[in-house]
Amino acid sequence: MRKFRTLDEFEQEYFRKHPEEIDDYLTEIFQEYSQYNDSDALLASLRVIATVQEISDTIG
């Protein structure tokens, strides 16, 4: 059976290859949060960046 990557895995790989994109991504997710107030989406996006930056142990 073929195993597909999750969206989180895909995003993590992308940001590992393009770390210069992280600042713009953070700006965008906080703008979307201020518009839609979706804390679950914000936290999911922050977890991806934390994992890429290898600080996920502090977020839990």
Side-chain angles (χ1 to χ4, degrees):
M1 179 183 252
R2 186 173 177 181
K3 183 178 184 277
F4 292 98
R5 293 184 299 170
T6 65
L7 179 59
D8 285 351
E9 291 168 337
F10 177 81
E11 287 180 326
Q12 289 169 14
E13 179 183 340
Y14 177 83
F15 286 118
R16 282 189 183 100
K17 291 180 178 178
H18 302 95
E20 71 280 359
E21 303 273 339
I22 291 174
D23 287 342
D24 289 339
Y25 180 70
L26 289 171
T27 299
E28 182 178 326
I29 64 172
F30 279 104
Q31 286 175 346
E32 288 186 10
Y33 174 71
S34 70
Q35 184 176 3
Y36 299 109
N37 233 9
D38 187 350
S39 58
D40 290 338
L42 174 66
L43 291 174
S45 296
L46 289 173
R47 277 189 203 100
V48 168
I49 298 303
T51 300
V52 169
Q53 297 291 327
E54 297 179 358
I55 58 172
S56 61
D57 290 341
T58 62
I59 292 178

